[in-house]
């Protein structure tokens, strides 16, 4: 049976009174501990409040619904995958501004295993007012036959003429999936004008080296070193990740 998020979630704040909404992320026990640590380091460096919640075996969409229910209608609610982060502070501020203006913000995503034909605002980094979810009828955000987790928000927003803000992939280190008819994405994907990074498949420990390299450049205020990332990705291609052999618990 799925368990709800535990109460020992960590909130990172570098100032006592932070004006920004907390960014919510969940993880299962199969996520390596260093992925969590590196995400925390990035958000702390960017002075963005992060709450990581252990929600082992809980469906992603159900957890997102529970997070929305905790908030007031005027609140901006932000979701982020455990292996994703903004590459600079302004990227997050821009997402918040879009949500405050009434748009649904999410990184461009496409469900290749679902019947849909349109790119949608993905919850790997998503921002919206709770009131928008309410105005759309409080839809169930769980995966269904038609939609992946939270994809229904984009479908309903299109029906009602609500703005969608969807930064597209601009680079990917290991191309793996089609973004509908609009491009490709894969392991280690960059979005917007070097605004966001999402690893994907972080449950596979070998891919962690890619996230670690990007996170190190962000936290050290260095330019993104795409040559280094590609060299790491090439080595992974020559020596595919070994099967996961252990689970991590925090």
């Amino acid at each position: 049976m799925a368990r709800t998020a535990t109460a020992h979630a960590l909130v990172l704040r570098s100032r006592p009174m932070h004006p920004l909404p907390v960014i919510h992320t969940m993880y299962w026990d199969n996520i390596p501990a260093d992925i969590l640590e590196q995400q925390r380091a990035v958000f702390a460096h960017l002075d963005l409040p992060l709450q990581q919640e252990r929600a082992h075996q809980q469906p992603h969409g159900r957890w997102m619904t529970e997070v929305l229910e905790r908030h007031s209608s005027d609140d901006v609610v932000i979701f982020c995958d455990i292996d994703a982060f903004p590459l600079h502070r302004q990227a997050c501020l821009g997402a918040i501004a879009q949500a405050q203006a009434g748009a649904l913000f999410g990184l461009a995503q496409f469900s290749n295993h679902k019947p849909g034909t349109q790119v949608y605002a993905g919850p790997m980094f998503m921002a919206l007012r709770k009131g928008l979810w309410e105005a759309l009828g409080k839809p169930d955000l769980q995966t269904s036959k038609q939609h992946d987790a939270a994809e229904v928000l984009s479908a309903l927003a299109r029906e009602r003429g609500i703005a969608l803000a969807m930064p597209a992939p601009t680079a990917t280190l290991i191309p793996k999936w089609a973004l509908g008819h609009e491009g490709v994405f894969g392991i280690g994907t960059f979005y917007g004008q070097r605004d966001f990074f999402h690893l994907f498949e972080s449950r596979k420990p070998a891919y962690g080296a890619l996230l670690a390299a990007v996170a190190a450049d962000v936290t050290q205020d260095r330019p993104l070193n795409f040559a280094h990332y590609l060299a790491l990705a090439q080595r992974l291609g020559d020596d595919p990740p070994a099967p996961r052999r252990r689970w991590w618990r925090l």
Side-chain angles (χ1 to χ4, degrees):
M1 180 178 295
R3 290 178 284 178
T4 57
T6 53
H8 63 272
L10 174 64
V11 177
L12 294 175
R13 295 176 186 266
S14 57
R15 296 175 186 148
M17 296 296 291
H18 209 301
L20 299 178
V22 170
I23 295 96
H24 299 271
T25 184
M26 66 166 282
Y27 63 94
W28 285 17
D29 288 352
N30 59 347
I31 300 301
D34 57 347
I35 296 289
L36 280 75
E37 293 165 1
Q38 288 154 7
Q39 186 189 55
R40 289 196 294 264
V42 168
F43 277 88
H45 180 72
L46 298 179
D47 192 25
L48 297 171
L50 175 69
Q51 181 163 303
Q52 293 179 335
E53 299 186 17
R54 177 181 177 271
H56 183 58
Q57 294 186 346
Q58 184 173 357
H60 192 191
R62 181 183 301 169
W63 172 80
M64 285 190 287
T65 298
E66 291 183 359
V67 172
L68 281 164
E69 289 173 341
R70 301 173 200 165
H71 289 78
S72 300
S73 296
D74 288 338
D75 290 345
V76 170
V77 182
I78 306 177
F79 298 109
C80 182
D81 277 2
I82 197 67
D83 56 352
F85 45 77
L87 295 168
H88 55 91
R89 179 179 168 85
Q90 189 58 43
C92 183
L93 300 184
I96 294 169
Q98 293 271 13
Q100 289 173 332
L104 173 63
F105 179 97
L107 304 184
Q109 179 66 302
F110 186 81
S111 298
N112 287 281
H113 58 299
K114 300 292 182 181
T117 60
Q118 292 182 299
V119 172
Y120 67 95
M124 55 274 217
F125 198 95
M126 172 181 279
L128 73 159
R129 283 190 180 275
K130 179 184 177 178
L132 174 58
W133 174 65
E134 293 171 329
L136 295 175
K138 298 184 179 179
D140 185 350
L141 302 187
Q142 293 193 71
T143 299
S144 66
K145 290 183 180 180
Q146 295 294 319
H147 301 119
D148 208 345
E151 183 178 356
V152 65
L153 290 173
S154 295
L156 293 172
R158 282 191 173 101
E159 289 177 4
R160 303 194 184 188
I162 294 169
L164 293 170
M166 300 183 294
T170 47
T172 186
L173 301 176
I174 305 177
K176 192 167 182 178
W177 305 287
L179 189 74
H181 301 297
E182 300 185 21
V184 298
F185 64 106
I187 307 302
T189 298
F190 297 80
Y191 295 82
Q193 299 302 310
R194 298 175 299 281
D195 294 326
F196 295 92
F197 175 79
H198 185 201
L199 179 63
F200 289 100
E201 297 191 356
S202 55
R203 66 187 180 278
K204 298 179 180 179
Y207 289 146
L210 300 176
L211 184 143
V214 179
D217 285 341
V218 173
T219 57
Q220 296 300 314
D221 293 320
R222 298 188 298 244
L224 298 178
N225 190 341
F226 285 95
H228 178 49
Y229 311 151
L230 286 170
L232 290 173
Q234 182 62 53
R235 287 201 289 272
L236 289 175
D238 294 338
D239 184 18
R244 177 176 48 81
R245 294 184 180 179
R246 62 176 296 184
W247 281 26
W248 299 74
R249 295 182 181 273
L250 293 183

